[in-house]
């Protein structure tokens, strides 16, 4: 299901973007991102407006809720062929979430505070780049097929080719 160009194990970005499975997971990732925004607003408003929880705690609770929902959705629905251990995947997802959010903030501060770009323009530049970066990183690293499984697939195909070659050579003699 992954596009491998030139027979090498390294994946080409354009090959990934063109694959049908990638398009499906990209659409799902996009929908999840939109749903996350709605859930974030909804949980924050629910906790603050109906339960009287202070805004800061309500928003923090919404962020944690969305983080957990996103992890489960990515593991089960968006990138279901993932073969990595759930615990290590969760740690990678947590670390990458912190890294991406930090990068978004640093990028925003650089554009807005140091280069004096209007804050809306800065957000408009940073967030789409981060969105595509997250999608590719989650697909290729956090929720990728395991490298052991790729090695096994390559070894099986090499053995199969050797056997076919041996059969052809044996039938000619």
């Amino acid at each position: 299901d992954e596009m491998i160009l030139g027979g090498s194990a390294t994946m080409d970005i354009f090959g990934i973007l063109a694959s049908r499975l990638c398009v499906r997971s990209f659409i799902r990732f996009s929908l999840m991102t939109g749903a996350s925004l709605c859930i974030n607003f909804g949980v924050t408003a629910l906790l603050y407006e109906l339960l009287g929880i202070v805004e800061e705690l309500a928003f923090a609770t919404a962020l944690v809720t969305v983080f957990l929902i996103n992890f489960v959705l990515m593991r089960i629905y968006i990138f279901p062929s993932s073969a990595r251990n759930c615990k290590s995947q969760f740690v990678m997802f947590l670390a990458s979430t912190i890294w991406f959010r930090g990068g978004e903030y640093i990028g925003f501060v650089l554009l807005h505070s140091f280069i004096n770009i209007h804050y809306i323009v800065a957000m408009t530049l940073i967030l789409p780049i981060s969105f595509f970066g997250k999608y590719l990183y989650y697909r290729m690293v956090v929720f990728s097929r395991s490298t052991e499984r790729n090695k096994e697939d390559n070894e099986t195909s090499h053995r199969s080719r050797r056997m076919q070659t041996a059969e052809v050579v044996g039938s000619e003699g």
Side-chain angles (χ1 to χ4, degrees), residues 63 67 70-71 74 90-104 130 134 137-138 142-143:
L63 288 175
F67 169 80
N70 286 350
F71 175 75
M74 281 197 231
F90 183 80
V91 170
M92 288 175 70
F93 184 69
L94 175 62
S96 63
T97 297
I98 292 167
W99 187 82
F100 275 111
R101 293 294 180 218
E104 290 167 353
S130 178
K134 284 182 220 174
Y137 185 78
Y138 293 146
V142 178
F143 298 99

Side-chain angles (χ1 to χ4, degrees), residues 108 111-112 117-128:
F108 176 82
L111 291 175
H112 177 64
I117 293 177
H118 191 273
Y119 78 96
I120 292 177
V121 174
M123 289 174 23
T124 303
L125 292 171
I126 295 296
L127 294 177

Side-chain angles (χ1 to χ4, degrees), residues 26 40 62 80 110 120 150 155 164:
F26 182 78
N40 209 325
L110 287 173
I120 292 177
N150 287 338
E155 288 172 10
Q164 289 172 348

Side-chain angles (χ1 to χ4, degrees), residues 1 3 15-27 135 139:
D1 61 25
M3 289 192 119
I16 291 171
L17 294 174
S19 77
R20 192 172 74 217
L21 288 174
C22 183
V23 170
R24 189 176 341 158
S25 64
F26 182 78
I27 290 169
Y135 173 75
R139 179 172 173 78

Side-chain angles (χ1 to χ4, degrees), residues 28 46 73 86 91 93 115 141 170-171:
R28 289 176 177 180
L46 174 83
L73 284 175
C86 186
V91 170
F93 184 69
I115 302 177
V141 178
S171 67

Side-chain angles (χ1 to χ4, degrees), residues 23-65:
V23 170
R24 189 176 341 158
S25 64
F26 182 78
I27 290 169
R28 289 176 177 180
F29 184 79
S30 300
L31 292 171
M32 181 203 68
T33 301
S36 296
L37 178 66
C38 294
I39 293 168
N40 209 325
F41 274 101
V43 169
T44 302
L46 174 83
L47 293 175
Y48 174 69
E49 298 292 338
L50 296 180
L51 300 179
I53 296 174
V54 296
E55 296 97 326
E56 295 83 359
L57 182 58
F59 185 65
T61 303
L63 288 175
V64 171
T65 302

